[in-house]
Amino acid sequence: MKKFLALILASILVLALSACEQIDNTSSVSNTSAPSQTVTESIGSDTSSDTSTESTESVESTTSATDENTSTNETSSAADTSTVNDCATLGHNFTESRVESTCSSKGHIKRVCSRCGKSTTDYLNLKEHTYTKNYQSVSNAQHNAYFTCSVCNYSYTEISAHSWSAWTTTKDATQSAAGEKTRQCTICNHKETQTIPQLPSSTEDRNARVLELVNIEREKAGLKPLEYYYAGQSAADIRAAEIIESFSHTRPDGSSCFTVFDEFNINYRSVGENIAYGYSTPEAVVEGWMNSEGHRANILNPSFTHLIVGYNNNHWVQLFIGI
């Protein structure tokens, strides 16, 4: 019996040792193949890891950007909706900027809503030119007016007549010398000067001077000089007064100028009359008569022998008589 038990125990021991060897062998094979598998997995893991990492980051980045865009768009849309809703509820909140007009360019007023950004622009009218004036005399009758805008230099010219002040005597006429008077344009200051004729010293001197000037002209023409006919002075004075009323060789009563001789019983063989007005000196009136063909013919008529001179307020009469 003891032998039988010992045999059983030995058999159990052998089986147990055999099982242990199998366990060890299995573990050894597992350990031997593990590094190879580990290397293979490591290589595969590195390659896979690099590819997998980049792809993951790209996806994550794209996802992030998409999330951000989505978030931004949503925020902007919300803001727009919010500002529009604010303007709809509260009204626009405009701030204003202004640029002033000039005479050459329009200004404007611009308004921008601080809530929604809406803007409007209103344009302003041009301003008037700011002119400076410069006048220049062109002649004794007119001047040019030059207008220039001091802002944009636009200019134009107007031609107009002088606007005269009253005459001012700068030198009085005397019996020995002529005088002088001036007037001035009140716009361009152009001056005009005229001579005031010398005053006659007396009636006798005036009449004698006319006779003297007439005889000078007759002498030039080779004619005899005239004598002064003092007896007919009253007739000449009457005619000088009459031509103030009616400047004509017909008397105010309608009769001929020569009927004045009949009033004084003056006999004559030939007779003639010259009249004039507006002359203040003997020199001026005789020159005027000599420049007129009909009056010059009387002065140079060879049939006349005597002369009478009448004067009244710059109205002159010459009565020629052939005795």
Side-chain angles (χ1 to χ4, degrees), residues 51-159:
T51 304
S52 173
T53 300
E54 291 179 359
S55 174
T56 301
E57 289 178 356
S58 175
V59 171
E60 288 177 354
S61 175
T62 303
T63 302
S64 177
T66 302
D67 291 343
E68 288 178 0
N69 290 340
T70 302
S71 175
T72 301
N73 289 340
E74 288 176 354
T75 302
S76 175
S77 175
D80 291 344
T81 304
S82 175
T83 54
V84 170
N85 289 338
D86 287 346
C87 291
T89 304
L90 303 176
H92 293 292
N93 182 27
F94 285 111
T95 56
E96 182 178 291
S97 61
R98 184 184 185 97
V99 176
E100 295 295 338
S101 293
T102 67
C103 52
S104 59
S105 63
K106 287 186 175 181
H108 63 267
I109 299 173
K110 186 174 183 179
R111 300 177 181 86
V112 180
C113 178
S114 60
R115 294 191 178 106
C116 69
K118 178 181 178 180
S119 64
T120 62
T121 302
D122 294 328
Y123 289 94
L124 306 175
N125 293 330
L126 291 174
K127 289 188 175 181
E128 296 291 332
H129 291 293
T130 303
Y131 286 114
T132 57
K133 302 175 184 179
N134 181 31
Y135 297 94
Q136 182 177 355
S137 177
V138 178
S139 66
N140 286 335
Q142 64 185 29
H143 56 247
N144 284 343
Y146 302 99
F147 296 84
T148 304
C149 178
S150 58
V151 177
C152 69
N153 291 325
Y154 171 77
S155 63
Y156 68 96
T157 303
E158 288 184 355
I159 301 174

Side-chain angles (χ1 to χ4, degrees), residues 81-302:
T81 304
S82 175
T83 54
V84 170
N85 289 338
D86 287 346
C87 291
T89 304
L90 303 176
H92 293 292
N93 182 27
F94 285 111
T95 56
E96 182 178 291
S97 61
R98 184 184 185 97
V99 176
E100 295 295 338
S101 293
T102 67
C103 52
S104 59
S105 63
K106 287 186 175 181
H108 63 267
I109 299 173
K110 186 174 183 179
R111 300 177 181 86
V112 180
C113 178
S114 60
R115 294 191 178 106
C116 69
K118 178 181 178 180
S119 64
T120 62
T121 302
D122 294 328
Y123 289 94
L124 306 175
N125 293 330
L126 291 174
K127 289 188 175 181
E128 296 291 332
H129 291 293
T130 303
Y131 286 114
T132 57
K133 302 175 184 179
N134 181 31
Y135 297 94
Q136 182 177 355
S137 177
V138 178
S139 66
N140 286 335
Q142 64 185 29
H143 56 247
N144 284 343
Y146 302 99
F147 296 84
T148 304
C149 178
S150 58
V151 177
C152 69
N153 291 325
Y154 171 77
S155 63
Y156 68 96
T157 303
E158 288 184 355
I159 301 174
S160 58
H162 292 303
S163 177
W164 295 111
S165 64
W167 286 104
T168 300
T169 300
T170 56
K171 181 181 179 182
D172 291 326
T174 65
Q175 294 179 349
S176 59
E180 186 178 83
K181 61 181 180 180
T182 62
R183 63 178 180 175
Q184 185 170 334
C185 177
T186 59
I187 298 175
C188 73
N189 297 324
H190 177 79
K191 288 185 178 180
E192 185 177 56
T193 302
Q194 285 188 0
T195 298
I196 301 174
Q198 177 181 332
L199 299 176
S201 57
S202 67
T203 299
E204 290 184 1
D205 290 340
R206 180 179 59 242
N207 295 346
R209 179 59 175 163
V210 172
L211 176 64
E212 179 183 6
L213 294 171
V214 166
N215 284 333
I216 289 173
E217 297 300 332
R218 288 176 68 87
E219 183 179 359
K220 292 178 183 178
L223 301 173
K224 292 181 179 180
L226 301 179
E227 297 181 14
Y228 201 86
Y229 190 67
Y230 292 99
Q233 186 61 57
S234 295
D237 292 340
I238 289 174
R239 285 296 296 142
E242 288 179 346
I243 64 172
I244 293 176
E245 182 180 348
S246 175
F247 189 76
S248 171
H249 294 295
T250 300
R251 302 179 70 181
D253 64 3
S255 62
S256 168
C257 61
F258 302 124
T259 59
V260 72
F261 292 114
D262 299 336
E263 297 178 18
F264 299 96
N265 296 317
I266 299 174
N267 298 315
Y268 53 85
R269 181 170 34 99
S270 59
V271 69
E273 180 182 76
N274 282 346
I275 60 176
Y277 75 92
Y279 300 95
S280 57
T281 64
E283 289 78 8
V285 71
V286 171
E287 181 181 1
W289 280 324
M290 287 298 296
N291 289 330
S292 168
E293 183 178 353
H295 298 94
R296 183 172 64 252
N298 277 339
I299 291 175
L300 302 180
N301 191 328

